[in-house]
Amino acid sequence: MIKVSHLKVQVGNFLLQDVNLDVDSGEYFIVLGPTGAGKTVLLEAIAGLYPILEGAITINGRDVTRLGPEKRGIVIVYQDQALFPHLSVAENVAFGLKSKRYSRSEIATKITDIAEVLGVADLLRRRPATLSGGEKQKVALARALVTEPEALLLDEPLSALDPQTKERMQRELMEIHRRLGVSVIHVTHDFEEAITLGDRVAVVNQGEIVQVGTPGDILRRPKSEFVANFALSQNVFSGEAKDDYGNNVTIDIGGVQLVVMTALRGMVHVSVRPEDIFISGTPLGSIEQNTFDGVITEVVDRGSVIYVRVNVPPDFVCLATRQSFGELSLSKGERVWIAFKTSAAHVF
Amino acid sequence: MFRSRSWVRPDTMAIVFILLSLLILFFIFAPIIKTVVSSSPGTLWDTLLDDSVYSSIMLTVWAGLLATLIGLALGVPLAYLLARRQFWGKGFLEALIDVPIVIPHSAAGIALLFVFGRQFLLGKLFGHVGITFVDSLAGVVIAMIFVSVPFLIDSARDAFKTVDVRLENVARTLGASPWRTFSRVSLPLAWRGIFSGSVMMWARAMSEFGAVLILAYYVPFLGGSQTVAPILVADRFAGFGLDYARPVAALVILVSLVMFLLLRIVALRGNKHD
């Protein structure tokens, strides 16, 4: 278990203050926040890469606040994977073991084992420069996990990957976490990633943690306007994906059936970006398979754009430009029709 | 009719720039080539066999090597700190390091004399352990370090800056001590820049004239009283005229060129790992 209490760190002009976190053993913990919120600094501070001005960090009851990064038993993995370019894949994976003075035969065994788990056995003789993004990510994970850390710190590990590789790596991360049971602190700005992977999520903004909770808590019970807005702009629902008649897949999200395109079945999440939802003051007929009517419950003016919350139920948040909003003369309590393409519903 | 697509009629500016470039290239290469080819290989060989010329070249190469090795040992840690740490007055310090490059080297020699002379601070201190700098090999080395180490520090610092700090961070969290991180990650990745900085330093050290002249004009070396090659060339010219200075100058240029080329080849070989 990792316990961070009243942490204060300063890096340049950036200040992280009074940060409190409790990550349970074996938990997959997400730190979610916009770019520049101080997520990476928090991670690097936990790793021991910055001097800590105030507060304490304990790992499994051991106070590591004043220890160097090499003595903490936690490994950081960066977005661009940061493989050592002058070493082969095998040498990269061996680096931590050599630092910890394992014997040659132990190192060989451990490398073989972890390469097996991550499916990088074929890559061991290659140079990092010759690997694809997904391969690099797996090698970076192998290099970290082979040292059997008490916790793994992941700094935006999926952000540099293309969408398909990203989805595959998400599943692999879940699988690895399940198999090895290592505690993970994973930093991301991606809401879907947070909801998919996290046992719990901490939302950070401007160097402060504004809410900690399960993904469901963050979605349904945001404690501050910032979290609400962060979640508001998402339209994330969950339900069971089922084959419908014909080629369709439908998801019952409690109230309405969404028609989607996905290969996934069973309990899934589905998101619709607010800007992909068409909104109208008159019936839309059946121009899209996902067409619903509801009542406007909230209008949030954000300057150039306006968020409109429509209760179908459930609630959908739609985005209208100021111009279209004026033309539609929408207001609270009014009945509207919304529609979006099946391809606009992203299942994860 | 066919017209080659790659042919673009040069504009006036391109023509002027090419002409000016040819002019400066001629200016650089003509004196060097003229000096080297104006002495026959036989004359060059005889000159090399001249005892004082041979000893002078050996002194120059050896002192330059010592200077560079000391420069590496002391300059690389400073370069690393400059690349990695932020501290008050860093910009000023970086400017200060380059001062030896811009001041007249005879003045640099005087400045060194004031610190390393027998009756001054460091001169006295080293005097206690039997090292004197005035008119000795140690003095040649000190003078060479002073005027040439900025080249090494600057390029080592730039080389360390190109090493992603996150590679060092990862190494640390993987369990490597600061020493191991430096020797296994930072140093190998910055090595090429440090090496080419060392080559620059060595070349600059071997061509030093002014500071060596003031601090250690003639020094005991290989059983005689010798001076470094650049001073030998000047002495021959002043004492015996152009005909005597020319073969020595040609030889010194050749030795420098050959070494420079060899080291460049080694540096390019090191390139291949990635």
Side-chain angles (χ1 to χ4, degrees), chain B residues 194-218:
Chain B
I194 295 171
F195 186 80
S196 71
S198 308
V199 173
M200 280 297 292
M201 176 172 176
W202 195 11
R204 184 65 200 80
M206 289 198 300
S207 54
E208 180 49 22
F209 180 87
V212 176
L213 185 77
I214 302 277
L215 197 64
Y217 189 9
Y218 272 84

Side-chain angles (χ1 to χ4, degrees), chain A residues 91-229:
Chain A
E91 289 167 327
N92 263 279
V93 179
F95 189 91
L97 298 174
K98 283 186 184 160
S99 302
K100 295 185 178 183
R101 298 180 189 284
Y102 282 91
S103 75
R104 206 175 267 268
S105 58
E106 275 177 300
I107 291 177
T109 316
K110 280 175 187 285
I111 290 180
T112 314
D113 290 349
I114 200 74
E116 184 76 22
V117 173
L118 281 143
V120 295
D122 296 341
L123 308 176
L124 288 173
R125 301 168 75 97
R126 303 255 296 268
R127 290 270 160 189
T130 68
L131 303 179
S132 72
E135 288 171 338
K136 281 183 191 166
Q137 187 59 264
K138 284 197 231 173
V139 172
L141 285 170
R143 179 178 65 177
L145 289 166
V146 77
T147 65
E148 292 165 25
E150 295 183 64
L152 196 57
L153 308 179
L154 306 177
D155 182 20
E156 300 266 5
L158 306 173
S159 301
L161 304 175
D162 63 81
Q164 276 128 38
T165 315
K166 182 174 165 173
E167 273 196 36
R168 205 179 64 234
M169 279 309 299
Q170 258 184 16
R171 283 196 299 277
E172 297 210 16
L173 272 179
M174 286 197 276
E175 174 65 18
I176 290 161
H177 176 246
R178 198 184 55 76
R179 262 178 90 168
L180 302 177
V182 62
S183 311
V184 175
I185 303 182
H186 173 142
V187 150
T188 182
H189 65 267
D190 186 319
F191 201 82
E192 291 182 6
E193 205 172 297
I195 299 214
T196 312
L197 290 168
D199 292 326
R200 278 190 306 149
V201 178
V203 184
V204 286
N205 187 35
Q206 291 174 354
E208 273 181 66
I209 292 181
V210 287
Q211 186 172 356
V212 182
T214 63
D217 287 341
I218 303 289
L219 273 176
R220 283 180 288 278
R221 286 180 289 279
K223 278 188 193 158
S224 69
E225 202 185 332
F226 174 78
V227 179
N229 282 337

Side-chain angles (χ1 to χ4, degrees), chain B residues 74-84 152-154 156-157 160:
Chain B
L74 303 179
V76 166
L78 172 61
Y80 185 74
L81 289 179
L82 289 173
R84 282 290 179 258
L152 174 59
I153 294 173
D154 287 352
R157 179 199 58 205
F160 281 127

Side-chain angles (χ1 to χ4, degrees), chain A residues 261-307:
Chain A
M261 296 195 291
T262 177
L264 299 178
R265 297 293 181 273
M267 286 305 292
V268 293
H269 298 285
V270 56
S271 76
V272 186
R273 298 174 68 87
E275 57 268 38
D276 288 339
I277 301 178
F278 183 72
I279 182 166
S280 165
T282 53
L284 285 163
S286 55
I287 55 165
E288 297 293 348
Q289 285 177 292
N290 293 306
T291 304
F292 312 105
D293 66 298
V295 176
I296 295 179
T297 55
E298 194 183 358
V299 175
V300 182
D301 196 334
R302 285 271 171 263
S304 60
V305 294
I306 291 153
Y307 286 101

